[in-house]
Amino acid sequence: MAAGVLTWLSVPVALVIGGIGAVSVFKAVYVDKREIKCACVGGSGKVPLGFVSMTENLMMVAMAVVVLVR
């Protein structure tokens, strides 16, 4: 996406992946009140992974929208 190559493919893929990810994180963290634990340190990390994951997914959607509009 950053290189401007195959934008006809990368934009829809980013929108789908980011959208599904954002919806699933929102449901898990804010509706079901579950904590998402970081598996990279054996689940013992105290990182607010729900917020981080939501931000990552929303940024993916935002990047796709910016590329689409441009």
Side-chain angles (χ1 to χ4, degrees):
M1 192 181 288
V5 179
L6 295 175
T7 54
W8 60 270
L9 178 65
S10 63
V11 168
V13 168
L15 280 172
V16 168
I17 292 173
I20 291 171
V23 169
S24 65
V25 169
F26 182 82
K27 182 184 179 308
V29 174
Y30 299 108
V31 175
D32 296 341
K33 304 289 185 201
R34 288 190 280 157
E35 285 188 27
I36 299 176
K37 295 188 179 187
C38 183
C40 58
V41 291
S44 64
K46 300 292 183 201
V47 179
L49 208 53
F51 175 75
V52 172
S53 296
M54 180 64 82
T55 303
E56 177 184 4
N57 288 315
L58 292 177
M59 290 306 293
M60 187 182 304
V61 170
M63 286 188 299
V65 168
V66 166
V67 170
L68 185 65
V69 170
R70 235 182 16 157

